[in-house]
Amino acid sequence: DAKTTQPNSMESNEEEPVHLPCNHSTISGTDYIHWYRQLPSQGPEYVIHGLTSNVNNRMASLAIAEDRKSSTLILHRATLRDAAVYYCILRDNDRGSTLGRLYFGRGTQLTVWP
Amino acid sequence: KAGVTQTPRYLIKTRGQQVTLSCSPISGHRSVSWYQQTPGQGLQFLFEYFSETQRNKGNFPGRFSGRQFSNSRSEMNVSTLELGDSALYLCASSFGRGAEQFFGPGTRLTVL
């Protein structure tokens, strides 16, 4: 399973941008980069995913390095509700044996201060 | 659209008993995956069902089993419970096997 490396924790102030990094130096050409987050006392929720190009949605932006060995999840204006554990996950949808399963690492605990 | 529902939300059992947890996926979703979350091991994949067939299984002992019904609802069963089985059990559904997964709130199992 392709491995990702994330900082254990990060902090931000409310209404400031947050850049959450993820390293995935062994990423393969068919691996998609997915981000999920888990709010306290809830199940994980999907945030965003991409393959090569930067992606934007209503929750966040995903910036992918040109060599795809790293990526950054960007929360443009952090709110208290964004305090959660953020997981960076690689998914290879071409590999039948790994479809339907997500490999969660330890993720990054994001603390947002008012 | 209703989200993923899991029942029961909380459960207390004693060692040696067995337990069955239930998961109702989002309407139209055919893939259901199960995960175990503990403070020590984090989130670990248990198994995935699609069209009533187990497609993937994680590295858990045979005491952990599951099934999926024709309406895509899924159950997981843990027999001969051990103290270490105390965990949050999460179910996730998706439209297709590689699609984004939607998680339920989980069932908190405590084994005494």
Side-chain angles (χ1 to χ4, degrees):
Chain A
D1 309 324
K3 189 172 171 54
T4 63
T5 304
Q6 301 177 251
N8 290 334
S9 62
M10 291 186 65
E11 297 183 356
S12 174
N13 294 317
E14 204 175 7
E15 298 192 5
E16 288 185 355
V18 181
H19 291 233
L20 297 165
C22 181
N23 287 319
H24 28 78
S25 59
T26 59
I27 191 170
S28 74
T30 52
D31 281 330
Y32 284 76
I33 302 158
H34 288 246
W35 284 82
Y36 281 73
R37 71 180 186 181
Q38 187 171 20
L39 303 173
S41 303
Q42 294 188 26
E45 65 175 346
Y46 167 82
V47 177
I48 200 167
H49 77 279
L51 183 63
T52 55
S53 304
N54 295 344
V55 184
N56 300 294
N57 67 20
R58 63 174 180 82
M59 288 180 70
S61 296
L62 176 60
I64 301 173
E66 198 170 328
D67 64 5
R68 302 210 324 126
K69 293 184 185 300
S70 65
S71 60
T72 303
L73 178 70
I74 302 167
L75 307 179
H76 295 285
R77 291 186 66 191
T79 68
L80 297 179
R81 195 192 171 276
D82 291 322
V85 178
Y86 287 78
Y87 297 97
C88 171
I89 298 167
L90 301 182
R91 292 189 80 181
D92 184 350
N93 282 0
D94 283 348
R95 200 183 309 157
S97 62
T98 62
L99 282 176
R101 64 190 297 175
L102 296 172
Y103 294 94
F104 289 89
R106 287 298 185 175
T108 297
Q109 173 70 62
L110 175 66
T111 300
V112 180
W113 299 103
Chain B
K1 207 180 218 183
V4 177
T5 57
Q6 293 187 244
T7 56
R9 292 291 312 278
Y10 302 91
L11 206 49
I12 300 175
K13 292 285 188 179
T14 57
R15 278 182 301 173
Q17 287 186 309
Q18 74 164 19
V19 66
T20 299
L21 311 181
S22 180
C23 172
S24 292
I26 291 172
S27 177
H29 285 191
R30 296 170 59 197
S31 175
V32 173
S33 299
W34 288 88
Y35 297 84
Q36 180 196 64
Q37 186 171 28
T38 61
Q41 299 297 319
L43 274 154
Q44 293 187 289
F45 171 79
L46 279 157
F47 26 64
E48 178 223 355
Y49 287 87
F50 183 79
S51 294
E52 302 177 65
T53 302
Q54 187 180 92
R55 305 292 178 145
N56 263 310
K57 191 176 192 309
N59 189 25
F60 279 83
R63 299 185 297 106
F64 291 81
S65 63
R67 59 178 175 169
Q68 186 180 35
F69 302 96
S70 59
N71 61 359
S72 294
R73 191 177 69 85
S74 178
E75 289 181 348
M76 67 164 282
N77 184 279
V78 187
S79 62
T80 318
L81 284 166
E82 301 177 359
L83 295 179
D85 297 333
S86 294
L88 180 66
Y89 290 88
L90 291 156
C91 161
S93 77
S94 60
F95 181 75
R97 294 188 65 206
E100 84 184 68
Q101 296 191 358
F102 293 81
F103 284 79
T107 294
R108 171 75 63 187
L109 171 65
T110 301
V111 181
L112 302 176

